[in-house]
Amino acid sequence: MKTIKASVCILTKNEEENLPKCLAPLADFEEVIVYDSGSTDKTVEIARKHGATVIEGDWEGFGTTRKKLFEAATQPWIFWLDADEIAPDDLIGEIRNCVEADPKTNGYRINRTTWIGRKRFRHGNWYPDWNLRFFRRTEWTMEERDVHESVKVVGIEGDFLTRLEHYSYRNWAERKTRSQRYSKLWASQAFRDGMRATYFDQVGHAWGCFLKGFILKLGFLDGIGGFRLALSNSAEVSDKYRRLRKAWDKFGG
């Protein structure tokens, strides 16, 4: 069987637990590139064992670092994959068919299902979660933000039918720790962009997030886990705006 003429691009740091499961289904791709920013575990060793090209470099924020990774790709298409994601066989089949057909479409969105531990979320603010993840190497631009960076393409976009499985957090404690990190990055970016917030913005957006996720987007159908997720997302939003307000109090005019 022919290899898939696409570059799979993965950012890593201390991903020895997730990376073997991420890399295992990718043997048919012509190129797998892992950009590692200072792992102290066996991440680099695992990547090389699976035949990936490893680039070891500095961490310069999500947007800038990922852009460097994409610029290293040599194949006609780029498949953006995170180390805590697994591409099912059906998705890889869709990608193969796309590459071989060479359509006029320049980019494809892929939906994700996210997990916390053994809990899979199919409702609420995390689902559906469509992102542009497969695109032509010559047709993309990167929005270089500190967190939640994104890619845009020139021309037609399409959708793949099969979902990525996103094993984002091992447990709720890890979810809390990382959400605080993301809040800090978001507030820093928002402050540099000149965005302002009041206490009422903080409270209003937090409540709005909870109601949207748990009620409007049917998070209650995920049971107790759905309730915990709605609370967690609401707390993260509140923390974002709290940090933004504090930044203006400390550094703003």
Side-chain angles (χ1 to χ4, degrees):
M1 185 178 292
K2 294 181 180 179
T3 58
I4 302 171
K5 302 298 183 181
S7 300
V8 186
C9 295
I10 306 168
L11 288 180
T12 61
K13 183 175 182 180
N14 294 333
E15 291 284 0
E16 66 177 4
E17 182 176 338
N18 289 318
L19 195 58
K21 293 174 285 187
C22 175
L23 294 175
L26 306 178
D28 287 345
F29 285 89
E30 182 70 25
E31 182 174 61
V32 177
I33 306 174
V34 170
Y35 185 108
D36 188 80
S37 55
S39 289
T40 56
D41 61 7
K42 296 182 179 180
T43 295
V44 171
E45 177 184 337
I46 291 168
R48 288 181 172 141
K49 182 179 179 181
H50 281 80
T53 299
V54 176
I55 301 171
E56 297 183 74
D58 295 331
W59 178 255
E60 301 178 47
F62 282 100
T64 300
T65 309
R66 201 177 299 278
K67 182 181 178 183
K68 283 188 173 183
L69 168 61
F70 292 164
E71 288 173 343
T74 65
Q75 296 302 302
W77 293 85
I78 292 175
F79 181 20
W80 167 355
L81 195 62
D82 289 341
D84 58 1
E85 295 172 338
I86 296 177
D89 290 343
D90 287 348
L91 176 58
I92 293 175
E94 287 189 73
I95 290 173
R96 177 184 292 280
N97 292 338
C98 165
V99 171
E100 292 178 354
D102 193 24
K104 294 181 179 179
T105 307
N106 285 337
Y108 288 85
R109 292 176 293 268
I110 303 175
N111 196 7
R112 295 192 303 178
T113 302
T114 298
W115 298 68
I116 298 180
R118 297 182 179 180
K119 176 62 179 177
R120 186 189 201 192
F121 292 91
R122 293 293 303 274
H123 307 89
N125 285 330
W126 282 2
Y127 190 86
D129 183 20
W130 290 95
N131 297 277
L132 190 67
R133 289 299 198 89
F134 190 75
F135 44 90
R136 292 187 189 272
R137 181 171 57 88
T138 57
E139 302 294 340
W140 63 274
T141 58
M142 171 67 74
E143 184 180 8
E144 297 181 52
R145 303 185 66 82
D146 289 345
V147 66
H148 302 314
E149 73 283 15
S150 62
V151 162
K152 295 181 180 179
V153 296
V154 177
I156 301 172
E157 297 181 11
D159 296 332
F160 286 139
L161 298 178
T162 310
R163 296 182 296 268
L164 276 172
E165 296 295 338
H166 184 206
Y167 296 90
S168 187
Y169 306 98
R170 289 171 293 183
N171 50 54
W172 287 97
E174 184 179 29
R175 160 64 185 154
K176 181 178 180 180
T177 299
R178 284 170 56 187
S179 71
Q180 290 172 344
R181 176 191 175 200
Y182 294 149
S183 295
K184 184 177 180 180
L185 291 171
W186 181 92
S188 176
Q189 181 75 59
F191 179 76
R192 292 199 303 274
D193 290 344
M195 180 179 176
R196 289 181 176 268
T198 67
Y199 174 75
F200 297 103
D201 291 323
Q202 177 184 339
V203 174
H205 282 286
W207 270 105
C209 176
F210 178 84
L211 294 173
K212 178 182 178 182
F214 192 63
I215 304 298
L216 297 181
K217 298 194 72 176
L218 308 181
F220 60 87
L221 293 178
D222 282 323
I224 296 298
F227 180 71
R228 292 186 71 180
L229 181 60
L231 284 179
S232 175
N233 287 338
S234 178
E236 180 177 345
V237 169
S238 178
D239 193 42
K240 287 178 179 179
Y241 283 90
R242 180 188 65 82
R243 291 178 185 274
L244 179 57
R245 289 194 303 109
K246 295 298 183 183
W248 279 105
D249 289 344
K250 185 174 182 179
F251 303 110

